[in-house]
Amino acid sequence: MIHTAIAAALLLAAAQPALAQDGHVNHAAHGHQHAAFASDRIHVAVEGQGPDVIFIPGLSSSPAVWQGAVDHLNGAYRVHRIHVQGFAGAPAEGNATGPVAAPVAEEIARYIREQGLTKPAVVGHSMGGTMGMMLAARHSDLVGKLMVVDMIPFMGAMFGPPGTTAESVVPVADQVVTAQSTSPREQYLTQARAAVTGMIRTEAARPGPLNDVETSDQQVSAAAFRELIVTDLRPELSRITAPVEVLYVKFNDPRMTDAITDAIYQMSFATLPGAKLKRIDDSAHFIMLDQPAAFYGDLDAFLAK
């Protein structure tokens, strides 16, 4: 079994909200408009002109996590940033009960169709990466290319011994969601605040996430995290026809070496042999905040292909 410290880090990472490059959320200052798309699962901010790029944030995260990347692209692309209902100040609405990631991925597919987007690039961080993989595997005709930022296709593998399956990890997932959903609010927030330090190395970028986690719906976050644990996308990866790039960081445990991390990612994506896997060093979970220059360089190359 992967060391419990790794599982704990993943659990805390799921409570991580997103933030603007300066560590503060500012939804109004950047002049974006919301797409005319009726949904009780998501709403979408759109800005810029050119080829379409969809950015999906992670669990309990705000679209502001991508602000630095949007600024870097400097209007050369038409950017669509997904805001999941229930996260970072958005009312839960359709995500109030049941799964979150899978139905949100379906809503993004509907968004692509109804907005007439042609093979957009999709970039997803953490749980956003999971939704990106769902989208590319289940709607391969809609995705032009996919970038997954620090996420594996079966997170449940981290919560059990070798050979763990989506079915066998259900009891653990149930324990996790019960603990998260029933935890007193202040206790829940205390754990999330502590996790910010481990998930974002850049100290100046940490204050903003506290606002997002405090304004995310605890029940929606807990349910979504359970869904991540019991969702195994490895059998579906072979359906992906779009080019895929995966950026990742070394697991946040001193006993987990670069080589072990590399091996875990290689095994995790073995059913998608064409995927390009790249480790980003000196970064925690939010690569785009800890190593923006490296991330922007990879993003530029990814979008230019």
Side-chain angles (χ1 to χ4, degrees):
M1 181 176 184
I2 297 297
H3 195 273
T4 53
I6 303 299
L10 286 166
L11 173 60
L12 291 173
Q16 293 310 300
L19 60 162
Q21 185 62 41
D22 61 359
H24 298 281
V25 175
N26 187 339
H27 299 289
H30 302 289
H32 64 249
Q33 297 180 338
H34 285 105
F37 179 72
S39 172
D40 64 354
R41 296 280 186 179
I42 62 173
H43 59 276
V44 187
V46 183
E47 59 191 292
Q49 299 292 327
D52 291 298
V53 183
I54 297 174
F55 285 101
I56 314 174
L59 188 56
S60 301
S61 287
S62 158
V65 72
W66 301 114
Q67 190 60 50
V70 173
D71 291 343
H72 170 77
L73 295 178
N74 196 30
Y77 293 84
R78 183 166 60 159
V79 172
H80 310 256
R81 281 188 283 177
I82 305 297
H83 195 152
V84 177
Q85 298 301 135
F87 296 161
E93 298 185 2
N95 294 328
T97 59
V100 179
V104 166
E106 291 302 308
E107 281 295 82
I108 297 172
R110 183 169 71 87
Y111 175 81
I112 293 171
R113 289 193 182 97
E114 292 188 3
Q115 298 295 309
L117 308 187
T118 302
K119 296 279 189 176
V122 176
V123 182
H125 173 244
S126 194
M127 178 177 139
T130 296
M131 291 188 283
M133 286 184 273
M134 289 175 170
L135 181 65
R138 298 170 186 177
H139 302 277
S140 59
D141 59 315
L142 298 182
V143 177
K145 59 189 73 173
L146 172 65
M147 175 181 279
V148 176
V149 183
D150 209 38
M151 192 60 176
I152 55 178
F154 180 38
M155 198 171 71
M158 295 297 184
F159 291 83
T164 292
T165 66
E167 293 75 21
S168 68
V169 81
V170 166
V172 175
D174 288 342
Q175 291 175 355
V176 168
V177 73
T178 298
Q180 283 199 340
S181 61
T182 63
S183 177
R185 184 65 175 171
E186 192 53 42
Q187 179 181 329
Y188 175 85
L189 291 177
T190 296
Q191 292 177 334
R193 293 182 187 114
V196 171
T197 299
M199 295 300 108
I200 305 170
R201 285 192 178 189
T202 308
E203 186 174 355
R206 291 173 184 161
L210 298 178
N211 179 72
D212 277 351
V213 78
E214 290 169 0
T215 56
S216 287
D217 187 293
Q218 184 171 335
Q219 304 304 316
V220 175
S221 294
F225 190 54
R226 181 195 182 281
E227 183 185 3
L228 291 179
I229 296 174
V230 301
T231 297
D232 186 357
L233 295 176
R234 292 174 300 181
E236 297 187 51
L237 294 183
S238 61
R239 302 177 191 169
I240 297 176
T241 57
V244 176
E245 180 165 351
V246 182
L247 303 181
Y248 63 94
V249 300
K250 184 177 80 66
F251 289 114
N252 187 22
D253 186 297
R255 286 158 286 199
M256 298 294 286
T257 64
D258 290 348
I260 292 174
T261 301
D262 292 346
I264 289 172
Y265 268 86
Q266 288 161 8
M267 288 187 294
S268 294
F269 284 92
T271 53
L272 187 62
K276 177 184 177 183
L277 308 179
K278 182 176 181 179
R279 190 183 70 249
I280 304 296
D281 294 326
D282 301 316
S283 177
H285 187 50
F286 285 82
I287 297 172
M288 67 288 285
L289 302 177
D290 280 335
Q291 291 293 339
F295 177 75
Y296 300 157
D298 282 304
L299 180 64
D300 287 344
F302 167 76
L303 294 176
K305 292 176 183 177

